[in-house]
Structure formats: C-alpha cells, structure tokens
Amino acid sequence: MIKLVRGFKDILPTETALWQYVEATVRELLEDFGFAELRIPILEKTELFARSIGAGTDIVEKEMYTFTDRKGDSLTLRPEATASVVRAYIEHKFYAKDPVCKLYTIGPMFRRERPQKGRYRQFYQINAEVFGLHDPRADAELILLLMKFMNRLDLSGIVLHINSLGCHKCRPHFKDDLKTFLANRSEQLCSDCLRRRDENPLRIFDCKVPTCKETMTDAPSILDRLCSKCRSHFNTVQDVLKMSHIPYETNHRLVRGLDYYTRTTFEVLAGALGAQDAVAGGGRYDGLVKALGGPDQPGVGFAIGVDRLIELLAGQVQGLEKRSHLFIAALGVRAQDRAFQWVQDFRMQRFRTEMDLEDRSLKSQMRRADKLEASYVLIVGDRELDEGAAVLRNMTTKEQERVPLRGLVGFVVSRIKPTTTGRNNEDRR
RNA sequence: GUGGGUGUAGCUCAGUAGGUAGAGCACCAGGUUGUGGCCCUGGAAGUCGCGGGUUCAAGUCCCGUCACUCACCCCA
C-alpha cells in the first residue's frame, strides 16, 4: 500500500465542513476590512526566501523543500507566504496605482521539520499583508482584525502577546548590549544557547531550559532600548489596543524567527495546543519590500495557522448546522425508475436528495436514510404507483402523509422547504 | 537532526508462563410478509507495521527497519 508522505495529511470529509466554515468566516472579515485576495504560486525561486526570511534562519538553512529543475534553476516549495506576496506586490507594481495595498492569501506552506502535534510538513496559512502604511494604527488595526476573527470563531483560552523589535537603528545597539550581558555567562547557558549567542542572540529569550530562563530574567529588555521613534510607535499601537478593549500582554521575550521583522511583532498563543502553541503571528517588516528590489514601502502582516486553529475548534465542540434533506425509498424497478427521475428533479430544485441505487429492502433503505440523517423519506412502491400517491415520512415526528404523484416534486418541495435550516445562521454577537 | 512512547479487524483496544488470534463499536443479513433509531440472532472482516533471527512452535523473545505520536529544536 502506498501511504502518505511523512508529515503530510489528508483533510477528511468529516473535517472539511469546519475548514470551509473557517475560510468563509475569515474571507468575509478580511473583505470587510478592505483586503483583496491574491493567489500566489506554491513554487518560487529559492533566492526569494533566502533573501527575505534570512539565509541564517532555520527555515532557510534546513527546512525548505528545495530542488533543481531541469533547467538548473533552484526552486523551493514556499515555506511561508509573505515573501511571495511582496514579490507579487513589486512585480505587478501595485504601489504605482496606490502605495497602500491590502492583500490576503490562503494556502499550504511547506517546511521539512520533524512532525509533531500541530506541526506538519504541509500546513495551511491565512495571510494578511498591508503595504504602504507607516502609521502604527495600521499595526493595531491588523491585530484588531486578527482578534476579531478569533472572537467570531468563539475561540477561548487564547492570549495575545506583543513586542517591539526596534528598527535598523536601535536594534543593533540592543544586540550589542545583549552580547555584553551574555559574554561572561557561558556556564549558565545551555549548549544551544551558546551557539545562539553568536548566531542570533535574541533567540535565547525563547529558550525553555530553566537555567537559561533564570539567567535571562536579568537580561536587558529591548523595550528599554528602543529609539524615540520606535518607542512612540509601540506606544500608539498599545493605545489603540486599549481603546479597542483588546486584552494583550507585552512580552519583551517575543522574538520571531524571520529576519525581516522590525518594530511591532505579535503572537496569538493557545495553551490547549501543547508545545506548538502559536495559532497566529506577525509583525511589521519595513525594509523588506526594498530589500527585494521594490520601492521603500513599509509593510505589516500576519499569518494564521489554520491546522492549529481547526484543532482548537474541534476541541471546542462545534455544531455546524446541517441542511435538511430527503431520501427516496423505492421498491421494485418501476418505482425505482420513477424515483431516479424525481431525485434529479429535486436536486435541480436545489434540494439535497438521495436514493439507494441498489435494489434493497425497505428496511435497509430506511436504515440508510436514518444513517444519512435524512429529515424526510419519500416511500414509493408498486402500491403507491397504482394508487397515484406516495408516502412522505417525517423522520423526526414519524408523521406520514400521502402526496399525489402528479406534480410530486413541486408539492414535496413546498411541503418541506419551510423547515429548511440554512447554514447562514452565523450572525453571532 | 536528537530522545521517549506506540504499532493486533474500518475504529477503540484485549491477548495471560512462547502453542499459528479475541471483545466492544461500526458494517451486512435475518427476527417484522413494505417503514429508521432500541433489542435479539447470525455473518463478513486481520499479511498481528515490515524484514531477519532464536525455537518443534513467535502477536508474544532478540536484532534491524519503517510509520505514527509526544517532547527537544523551530514556528503558524
């Protein structure tokens, strides 16, 4: 038997309704906030990711699916979406028409990591990016949108962490301070952190080893070293969040693994997820567009981990309403032929209808109708054909009534339609 | 890449001191000769992850391997 590739998964019919619900909800919200959908390819030139995410990052260094195509180009299955969105923004010169541009995209990303709960080699992200706005309110609005989304999904037990990483002016100073601080504390750091000290000292804040955590409690905080512009930017972001009643925690240890982030960064964490607890994350990336060959336009964005979101929702008892539908139980060839036509007619009336295509006993057809959770069953056999009227059974009340064969479809639809519960009863709060 | 746990029917699992497999649920049929959910009866369904070894005999012991899973790492 040929099996799934490691770290990849099928999203089964029992799960897709939830996925569709999540996607429909976020699309609606994003569009209300003025975002337009952009669909980007899954494959890009390797260089795009090396230059945006950062050549020294784990993602680029050891997690990308990279291969050489037949012409010798190095191509990579996208490990994240921002790089591609920026590439498209530049390539299609969106900035020329209007420097302010809000885009979203939904799709799979690929990273070759060891699979784990909440971590797959193909995983899905919802990405939103805003270009052309320096104003800190753009950062705040994006966070607002993100939290609004979590809210619509009725997600509980999540926390929002925010931080500022400073800009290209103040961050280097902070890095120096941090290196000085760490210089004579080698014995107090784990081997991983010793390595990080040289490569990316900010990451040490993320370490979970107790002694490292202990050591880092006395470490300098980036928030104390921000330059005046970064400081006021961060303050404004917080002011807007407060004004909007969005609860948050500032977390000066929140460091993100992609090199392009500047100033505001944020993460939404859910304890119920286990070790991989980040459901969403994002931040500002003011130098990225320029670094990739575009104009000097700022950017802010976030990514939501859909797989993790789904996991949270599945753990929170989700009752998605089902449409009521009809099952036709036919006995004998004559009735089956008539029923087959009716089934098609009902469907053309946009009414979900099914029948058994094999010649089975009424009992087994009823059982099947029950299993499919049909709300009504229409019973037709030779007897009904001769009498000119079929039997319509309401499966919840068990009431049965005779319905004339002449004009049957229209009659049944009018009889049944009013009780149809649409799937659009999602107007929560 | 590193470590722990687990791999027996579609699903959840049992399998005792090694003697070539069992339960519950699900499935199919019958009990009701034209009526679902409950109940009863019967049926179908397993290369015991894969490969090798020890043994008269291995699901059970040994080695290897693969997969799943959780954690490290990293991140959504």
Side-chain angles (χ1 to χ4, degrees):
Chain A
M1 181 174 59
I2 297 173
K3 290 200 278 196
L4 273 164
V5 176
R6 175 150 210 220
F8 287 63
K9 66 171 179 183
D10 295 316
I11 298 165
L12 303 175
T14 48
E15 310 168 284
T16 45
L18 196 49
W19 284 75
Q20 287 172 10
Y21 166 65
V22 165
E23 284 170 16
T25 305
V26 81
R27 283 203 145 87
E28 191 180 280
L29 195 61
L30 282 161
E31 283 168 24
D32 288 347
F33 272 76
F35 287 77
E37 186 183 9
L38 170 73
R39 298 201 185 189
I40 45 179
I42 281 170
L43 215 53
E44 295 274 4
K45 300 233 172 84
T46 304
E47 189 195 356
L48 174 66
F49 303 117
R51 277 173 54 188
S52 59
I53 300 169
T57 58
D58 276 19
I59 295 179
V60 171
E61 221 165 51
K62 45 197 182 197
E63 295 173 1
M64 296 202 304
Y65 281 97
T66 297
F67 66 97
T68 308
D69 83 348
R70 290 170 190 241
K71 274 197 174 161
D73 295 328
S74 179
L75 304 179
T76 294
L77 249 38
R78 62 181 187 198
E80 61 113 37
T82 304
S84 300
V85 175
V86 171
R87 193 221 78 234
Y89 173 77
I90 297 168
E91 192 163 347
H92 302 290
K93 299 188 169 61
F94 286 173
Y95 52 83
K97 203 178 262 174
D98 182 352
V100 179
C101 180
K102 300 186 190 180
L103 300 168
Y104 78 90
T105 191
I106 302 177
M109 307 298 154
F110 304 84
R111 284 161 26 192
R112 223 208 91 106
E113 299 176 89
R114 187 80 171 256
Q116 190 184 330
K117 183 182 173 69
R119 189 168 76 186
Y120 310 99
R121 289 179 174 182
Q122 174 175 334
F123 59 100
Y124 293 78
Q125 283 192 346
I126 296 162
N127 271 263
E129 317 284 350
V130 176
F131 296 100
L133 289 173
H134 288 285
D135 199 293
R137 281 173 293 191
D139 311 31
E141 193 180 38
L142 211 49
I143 296 174
L144 213 78
L145 158 56
L146 182 59
M147 297 317 280
K148 186 81 200 160
F149 174 54
M150 300 293 168
N151 220 273
R152 280 224 182 149
L153 295 178
D154 251 339
L155 230 47
S156 56
I158 53 170
V159 288
L160 167 67
H161 283 191
I162 64 169
N163 190 25
S164 176
L165 295 180
C167 59
H168 64 282
K169 281 186 201 143
C170 52
R171 187 160 23 166
H173 294 311
F174 172 67
K175 272 195 178 174
D176 289 343
D177 286 357
L178 193 58
K179 279 183 182 165
T180 314
F181 170 82
L182 294 168
N184 45 15
R185 281 168 221 260
S186 304
E187 323 77 52
Q188 296 156 45
L189 296 175
C190 68
S191 55
D192 282 324
C193 285
L194 285 176
R195 177 176 50 78
R196 291 187 192 118
R197 188 167 64 183
D198 302 319
E199 292 173 0
N200 195 348
L202 293 179
R203 288 234 69 95
I204 301 182
F205 282 114
D206 263 355
C207 189
K208 283 155 190 156
V209 175
T211 55
C212 296
K213 274 186 164 176
E214 178 68 31
T215 308
M216 295 308 280
T217 52
D218 301 329
S221 162
I222 175 84
L223 293 178
D224 298 330
R225 311 295 152 109
L226 295 178
C227 63
S228 60
K229 281 188 175 177
C230 287
R231 167 119 298 263
S232 83
H233 185 101
F234 193 48
N235 285 340
T236 306
V237 171
Q238 294 185 64
D239 289 343
V240 178
L241 291 180
K242 280 176 195 150
M243 251 166 36
S244 314
H245 309 292
I246 303 287
Y248 68 89
E249 287 172 38
T250 56
N251 176 2
H252 75 276
R253 294 148 183 277
L254 171 59
V255 175
R256 302 191 50 78
L258 292 78
D259 282 356
Y260 54 65
Y261 284 115
T262 57
R263 293 192 168 166
T264 318
T265 57
F266 51 92
E267 258 179 24
V268 176
L269 271 33
L273 286 175
Q276 307 301 319
D277 61 353
V279 211
R284 181 163 275 277
Y285 45 87
D286 286 346
L288 184 59
V289 177
K290 193 177 180 191
L292 289 177
D296 193 5
Q297 290 291 348
V300 214
F302 66 67
I304 301 169
V306 185
D307 311 71
R308 293 178 185 177
L309 197 62
I310 296 284
E311 199 159 322
L312 282 174
L313 290 172
Q316 282 189 199
V317 218
Q318 270 288 316
L320 292 182
E321 293 186 51
K322 286 171 191 152
R323 278 207 300 165
S324 74
H325 64 276
L326 175 70
F327 187 91
I328 301 185
L331 297 159
V333 263
R334 265 206 305 151
Q336 281 164 15
D337 287 346
R338 286 293 289 278
F340 188 83
Q341 290 309 318
W342 284 329
V343 168
Q344 313 312 324
D345 293 343
F346 276 115
R347 291 171 178 167
M348 288 306 104
Q349 299 288 317
R350 306 245 20 226
F351 199 84
R352 177 179 158 190
T353 307
E354 300 186 62
M355 70 176 284
D356 223 312
L357 291 178
E358 275 153 2
D359 187 29
R360 310 237 257 160
S361 69
L362 181 57
K363 185 191 180 87
S364 78
Q365 293 193 57
M366 289 302 289
R367 238 189 240 143
R368 181 161 178 75
D370 186 56
K371 192 167 59 186
L372 295 173
E373 296 179 297
S375 17
Y376 292 88
V377 175
L378 185 72
I379 301 168
V380 234
D382 289 338
R383 192 193 296 164
E384 284 72 21
L385 292 182
D386 294 340
E387 292 172 3
V391 174
L392 182 65
R393 178 181 176 86
N394 180 321
M395 293 296 274
T396 43
T397 65
K398 296 184 173 184
E399 285 166 353
Q400 298 196 167
E401 64 175 310
R402 322 258 320 164
V403 291
L405 297 187
R406 185 187 298 271
L408 178 130
V409 174
F411 185 83
V412 171
V413 166
S414 69
R415 210 78 193 78
I416 280 172
K417 261 270 157 82
T419 63
T420 302
T421 51
R423 219 189 305 178
N424 300 326
N425 304 339
E426 293 157 4
D427 308 293
R428 311 177 180 208
R429 70 182 60 110

